[in-house]
Amino acid sequence: AEREFIRGKDLNPGNAYSLHWHAHYLEAMGRMTEAATEMNRSREMDPLSSMLLLDSALQQAYFRQWDKALQMLDRIAELEPAFPFANLARGNVFLGMGKRQDALDALDKVQPAASGVPFVMGLLGALYGQLGAKDEARKQLSALEAMAGKSYVSPFYFASIYLGLGDSDAMFRALDQAYEQRSSSLFYLAYEPMWAQVRSHPRGAALLKKIGLPGA
């Protein structure tokens, strides 16, 4: 994968998203300093991209640079007020800061944009669960189950909500299914703060080893 990322950058060195996705690869491999360099370079190439600002903000949250993360999210609000994922990220940041009510207020604003987007529904349910809003998390779980009855939904998104609800057995069953289906979302297990407890669990460590990602 890294060989292909580097080849992509060589072929089109001005493509900010080549750097952006390479940064995600480096995060998954535990090479966080290199990842930060790539993410910064991608943002410098395209400073008006809300998506690049969003992922830069989330990366700052991984480093617990909360103020920097919020500044980037504020910048998104200036550039693109209707950008649907900014409040989702804001809720994630406030959760890390221990500001429960601020996090809930941010997530409540995501609800209208979450419908029909499995990735957002999964993360929203996970964050609600971690914030103790179990009923809201279960609403996202029920909506995902209904969607899965009509079209494909990655088991990884179910695993995210089970994580928030504290249902370890259901979470690991869903993660195993995601592995069998070769879900690309599994790379988040390697570095996302919300998955830290999974990385330190024997079943989680074994799964990371099977995938080929570094452990806790």
Side-chain angles (χ1 to χ4, degrees):
E2 183 166 30
R3 182 182 66 245
E4 299 300 325
F5 278 124
I6 292 172
R7 177 64 174 151
K9 291 194 300 179
D10 289 342
L11 288 170
N12 190 355
N15 188 324
Y17 282 91
S18 293
L19 299 173
H20 165 258
W21 286 108
H22 187 218
H24 280 312
Y25 164 83
L26 293 167
E27 287 168 339
M29 300 309 294
R31 294 158 59 183
M32 299 302 286
T33 300
E34 295 174 76
T37 298
E38 290 288 78
M39 195 70 80
N40 288 338
R41 288 177 59 207
S42 73
R43 197 176 69 255
E44 289 167 1
M45 285 183 178
D46 191 355
L48 301 181
S49 167
S50 294
M51 184 58 72
L52 295 181
L53 274 168
L54 177 75
D55 278 352
S56 293
L58 289 173
Q59 190 180 73
Q60 291 301 317
Y62 306 151
F63 292 124
R64 299 185 180 276
Q65 298 293 320
W66 310 119
D67 289 342
K68 289 183 179 179
L70 290 174
Q71 287 171 8
M72 290 178 179
L73 294 174
D74 288 342
R75 179 60 175 153
I76 294 174
E78 295 172 3
L79 291 171
E80 193 175 349
F83 188 67
F85 305 128
N87 281 310
L88 188 64
R90 195 177 295 275
N92 195 17
V93 171
F94 282 136
L95 172 61
M97 297 173 74
K99 295 185 175 183
R100 181 179 182 275
Q101 191 56 54
D102 288 338
L104 288 172
D105 290 344
L107 295 181
D108 286 345
K109 296 176 183 177
V110 181
Q111 292 271 16
S115 179
V117 186
F119 172 78
V120 177
M121 296 163 69
L123 184 52
L124 186 60
L127 294 174
Y128 269 131
Q130 290 182 318
L131 287 163
K134 303 294 186 181
D135 288 344
E136 293 297 333
R138 292 188 185 96
K139 286 180 184 178
Q140 297 302 318
L141 181 61
S142 296
L144 266 187
E145 289 171 344
M147 185 180 296
K150 300 175 182 178
S151 59
Y152 175 76
V153 176
S154 171
F156 183 84
Y157 307 137
F158 288 99
S160 299
I161 300 179
Y162 289 133
L163 170 71
L165 291 171
D167 190 340
S168 294
D169 287 339
M171 177 194 68
F172 277 115
R173 284 197 299 271
L175 288 177
D176 287 340
Q177 291 174 352
Y179 172 78
E180 292 168 3
Q181 295 176 17
R182 302 180 69 84
S183 169
S184 60
S185 298
L186 287 167
F187 80 95
Y188 289 113
L189 295 179
Y191 67 94
E192 283 270 15
M194 65 182 286
W195 294 102
Q197 60 183 285
V198 174
R199 292 192 288 272
S200 62
H201 191 285
R203 289 178 68 179
L207 178 58
L208 286 169
K209 185 175 181 180
K210 283 200 302 183
I211 298 169
L213 295 171

